[in-house]
Amino acid sequence: MAARKLLRDFWYQRVISSTLGRTRHSFSTSSSASAAPTASKIPHSSKKGRLLTGATLGLVIAGGAYVSTVDEATFCGWLFQATRLVNPFFALLDAEFAHTLAVSAAARGWVPREKRPDPSILGLEVWGRKFSNPVGLAAGFDKNAEAIEGLLGLGFGFVEVGSVTPIPQEGNPKPRIFRLRPEGAIINRCGFNSEGIVAVAKRLGAQHGKRKLDETSGTSSTSSDDVKYGGKAGPGILGVNLGKNKTSEDAASDYVQGVHSLSQYADYLVINVSSPNTPGLRMLQGRKQLKDLVKKIQAARDEMQWGEEGPPPLLVKIAPDLSKEDLEDIAAVALALRLDGLIISNTTVSRPDPASQNPVAKETGGLSGKPLFNLSTNILKEMYLLTRGKIPLIGCGGISSGEDAYQKIRAGATLVQLYTGFAYGGPALIPQIKVELAQCLERDGFKSIVEAVGADYR
């Protein structure tokens, strides 16, 4: 009903009113002219205008009548599919400008909003948070928390913003984002371009306040029997990814500042120690360095005052370019310090085939997208085995279909994240992945996501 009302209002206000206005104007002009004996003939252009007006009115009435018979779910599906028509336009733009435009569109609500419920088989609970589906948006897309509501409205189960640095920084010189379109990949060397903690905290605080106001206003129609999905950001789960400034000599201090300023708005926090575009950052993945860093950040988080929900879970995002020994060290630290989760993985400095054959592969930076899938999935599998399935893992890297997401889950991921696939496929990819993932689970006899986690290695 909401969709029908919206369309009726649109047709009337935007099209019918303007068309009738033009018709009245034409009629008034014609009436004045008819008073003169010399104006007995109707100009040819006026005839064409009236024909065009009549045809427009006919199309509007017919279109409005047809739309009024469509249910909300069907109309919602049309909107998502219609976004595929815009993808070629974005492909013509500079990669970073297209990215900025996409974030701006989501921030202004110029993207479709998912009204259809997720398949029940996709719902799960992790860290005491209820996810309506396991498909999330990785950090790097909405770096400054500008478009959380719009992105969650697209149907993601969770959205991760950042990486956020304490002090604003421009990042590396442009151009710094490069498409490898035939391979479905992207190379970036952005270098933690961020508006900084203060700007992000202001946006998150405003959104948090709006959410609380909506809750207390009694506008929610959710019955007590319904499962309530979501977290501090509203209908979905919000993750905040923390980074360090390029010139900082005290990484732990940078991350602690992020915890103190942003953790109150986050459903989970991420320590990003794996971007290849900040000098020395990946050194923090070493056993001693990581252990010392995590302990300081955990202490900073735990010293804050928390309500019944407790502090947000703390995760570490790791690189795919790690040796077996590196993985063993990270797993040991994660288990010893009871880390809440790991994200596997960030971009790679290698150039897996077929990306290596593309001339753009010579650009410096981290590669994401389809060529990263096998590498990141193998690291995911290794970490699942090393942690013995005791730590929730988020699979990230090369997902562009429901089957890809399913393979990550079978390899040990509890949740999955998109970035490059979303950049190429647009909003229409999200419902497609969820439907395909549900079909994969049902095909293999699983009744839930949880049952399928690590199925290949159990």
Side-chain angles (χ1 to χ4, degrees), residues 274 282 285 317-322 327 343-347 379:
S274 53
R282 289 191 167 188
Q285 295 175 113
K317 187 168 186 175
I318 66 173
D321 311 305
L322 296 168
L327 293 175
I343 299 180
I344 306 167
S345 67
N346 213 316
T347 57
I379 298 295

Side-chain angles (χ1 to χ4, degrees), residues 183-186 188 282 317-321 344-355 366-380 395-399 408 417 419-420:
E183 293 78 19
I186 289 174
N188 94 81
R282 289 191 167 188
K317 187 168 186 175
I318 66 173
D321 311 305
I344 306 167
S345 67
N346 213 316
T347 57
T348 178
V349 294
S350 68
R351 298 294 181 259
D353 289 333
L367 180 140
S368 61
K370 291 182 179 180
L372 177 58
F373 181 81
N374 289 335
L375 176 61
S376 61
T377 305
N378 287 335
I379 298 295
L380 173 67
C396 182
I399 296 174
K408 294 278 190 188
Q417 287 180 324
Y419 185 146
T420 304

Side-chain angles (χ1 to χ4, degrees), residues 42-178:
I42 299 173
H44 182 66
S45 60
S46 179
K47 288 182 180 179
K48 289 175 66 178
R50 292 181 183 181
L51 284 172
L52 179 60
T53 299
T56 302
L57 279 170
L59 287 171
V60 166
I61 293 169
Y66 181 65
V67 167
S68 69
T69 66
V70 175
D71 63 272
E72 190 175 46
T74 302
F75 180 63
C76 185
W78 285 353
L79 288 179
F80 274 88
Q81 288 303 315
T83 63
R84 295 188 186 276
L85 301 175
V86 184
N87 290 349
F89 166 72
F90 277 87
L92 298 174
L93 304 175
D94 168 76
E96 185 158 359
F97 179 71
H99 179 189
T100 302
L101 196 61
V103 173
S104 180
R108 288 166 171 74
W110 297 347
V111 291
R113 190 168 187 85
E114 183 61 84
K115 299 291 186 180
R116 299 162 293 184
D118 288 330
S120 59
I121 196 171
L122 298 184
L124 73 163
E125 183 173 328
V126 190
W127 310 304
R129 278 78 171 159
K130 290 182 169 59
F131 292 71
S132 64
N133 72 76
V135 182
L137 179 62
F141 187 85
D142 187 8
K143 290 176 177 288
N144 297 303
E146 299 173 79
I148 297 169
E149 187 174 350
L151 293 170
L152 285 172
L154 288 171
F156 285 112
F158 62 109
V159 166
E160 188 176 311
V161 299
S163 295
V164 188
T165 58
I167 301 171
Q169 61 180 31
E170 291 294 327
N172 293 322
K174 298 177 183 180
R176 54 194 180 185
I177 303 178
F178 309 90

